[in-house]
Amino acid sequence: MKLTGRTILITGGTAGIGLAFALKFAELGNQVIVTGRRQRLIEDVKRRYPKLHAIQSDVADPDQIRALATRMAAEFPRLDVLMNNAGISLYKNLKGTATDLAGLTKELEVNAGGVIRVTSAFMDLLKANKGTLINVSSALAFVPLPCIPIYCATKAAIHSYTQSLRFQLEETGVEVIELMPPAVKTDMTADLRDGDGITMITTDELVKQSFKSLRKGTLEIRPGQSSQLALMRRIAPDFINAQLWKASRKLVPAAV
């Protein structure tokens, strides 16, 4: 992937992994736009990082996605990198009947539906500019962490979806990259700890390893423990599944 002279949109770019990548891309001289659903964080990014463009937009809302795509085409017609990073993670107990059936699939709407809708909304612009699409899935696409079962399912879906996209776009000039982070120390993972099969890394280390792979042209990037989890899924699936269940059992909420 060419890492300079690009116009880059990162969804969920106001904190955590998204913000870390936004700052690195900006450091390399790229024009970077980040989005987020919370206006308070948008204002905070504008104040702290004036080199970044920050726009409020919710990937779970189709109307906001359409409005964002229209605005990007008008204000940033040379946009040639889309990084689908926005996502949420919720602890779930699946042993009972959910009282909030709409809430039960919230992660599907954001993590999977958001990626699919945003990608489609920007497809014509990416093709016109022969751009790069980066979908952020997870090492948990390979093996689930049972305390966040729906989150893991969405990441497995994005892994499969990204592979299909790569095939369908092979003659368009659009480069399709998948970033599969391991457990990263962010607000989203505040309850996780190293040990029992989980190895945490910082956002700085994630960015360092990921950019090394991007420079090499790697299309499926597995930083940190991600490669190990992919291997363990093949050679010892029962063992690694049991380890991750042991690590996460205490985080499953009590049944309602």
Side-chain angles (χ1 to χ4, degrees), residues 1-215:
M1 175 184 171
K2 181 175 177 286
L3 296 175
T4 58
R6 313 294 296 268
T7 302
I8 302 169
L9 173 66
I10 302 176
T11 67
T14 58
I17 291 173
L19 180 58
F21 272 82
L23 294 175
K24 182 61 177 180
F25 277 124
E27 178 187 311
L28 294 175
N30 299 286
Q31 186 174 44
V32 182
I33 308 101
V34 299
T35 70
R37 60 187 173 84
R38 289 172 287 187
Q39 186 63 36
R40 175 181 60 82
L41 292 183
I42 293 293
E43 296 302 326
D44 186 55
V45 167
K46 288 180 178 179
R47 177 179 56 82
R48 295 173 61 194
Y49 310 108
K51 288 186 178 181
L52 299 180
H53 302 273
I55 298 172
Q56 190 280 325
S57 185
D58 186 349
V59 301
D61 186 331
D63 290 335
Q64 290 190 38
I65 293 171
R66 279 189 288 267
L68 177 66
T70 299
R71 179 173 177 178
M72 289 298 101
E75 297 182 14
F76 302 95
R78 295 180 60 191
L79 190 143
D80 59 350
V81 179
L82 169 63
M83 185 173 182
N84 282 310
N85 169 74
I88 59 172
S89 173
L90 302 172
Y91 296 119
K92 293 289 185 181
N93 187 321
L94 304 180
K95 292 186 290 185
T97 299
T99 56
D100 180 8
L101 293 180
L104 186 64
T105 59
K106 185 176 181 180
E107 289 155 290
L108 289 169
E109 289 298 311
V110 175
N111 300 359
V115 169
I116 294 167
R117 293 182 183 119
V118 172
T119 299
S120 180
F122 282 86
M123 186 56 69
D124 288 345
L125 194 57
L126 287 173
K127 288 193 297 184
N129 292 329
K130 297 192 180 303
T132 298
L133 173 68
I134 305 173
N135 285 340
V136 180
S137 61
S138 171
L140 298 178
F142 298 124
V143 287
L145 192 65
C147 61
I148 46 173
I150 298 174
Y151 173 87
C152 296
T154 64
K155 295 305 182 176
I158 292 307
H159 177 50
S160 178
Y161 167 73
T162 303
Q163 290 177 312
S164 294
L165 266 179
R166 191 175 293 122
F167 283 118
Q168 290 203 17
L169 294 174
E170 62 184 358
E171 297 179 358
T172 66
V174 176
E175 180 182 34
V176 180
I177 296 171
E178 183 177 5
L179 172 61
M180 310 186 79
V184 180
K185 294 178 182 178
T186 66
D187 290 343
M188 186 183 289
T189 58
D191 294 327
L192 295 178
R193 298 290 183 270
D194 281 312
D196 293 330
I198 297 176
T199 302
M200 309 281 288
I201 66 172
T202 64
T203 53
D204 287 345
E205 184 60 28
L206 174 68
V207 168
K208 179 181 177 181
Q209 293 186 32
S210 298
F211 272 78
K212 183 178 180 180
S213 294
L214 289 171
R215 290 186 180 96

